[in-house]
Amino acid sequence: HPFVTLKMVQLTITHGLSPMSPIGFVYYGSLLGRHGNIRAGYRFTLLARYVAFVVITSVKCILITHTLLSGL
């Protein structure tokens, strides 16, 4: 649904990245592509891929740090 997609992107812009941000970017890219803006749609899917990598890497770092500090 376009409303949900736009809300996901808006929340990311307003509040920062979350684990759901890449999904919103992919949906938004798809929405742009369906409306004829293939180039912008593709760029949003690339953004989603990059953000997913950053979010996953950040979560892994937090988990590793927590694990290491809990052993002290």
Side-chain angles (χ1 to χ4, degrees), residues 7-21:
K7 190 64 175 179
M8 290 173 78
V9 173
Q10 179 188 27
L11 287 170
T12 296
I13 292 169
T14 304
H15 299 287
L17 296 175
S18 78
M20 296 301 292
S21 296

Side-chain angles (χ1 to χ4, degrees), residues 19-58:
M20 296 301 292
S21 296
I23 295 170
F25 291 146
V26 166
Y27 286 162
Y28 187 63
S30 174
L31 184 66
L32 290 172
R34 281 186 300 218
H35 285 90
N37 198 342
I38 304 295
R39 184 180 183 128
Y42 177 70
R43 294 176 94 176
F44 267 91
T45 60
L46 291 178
L47 175 63
R49 183 176 163 192
Y50 175 76
V51 170
F53 174 77
V54 169
V55 168
I56 289 169
T57 302
S58 298

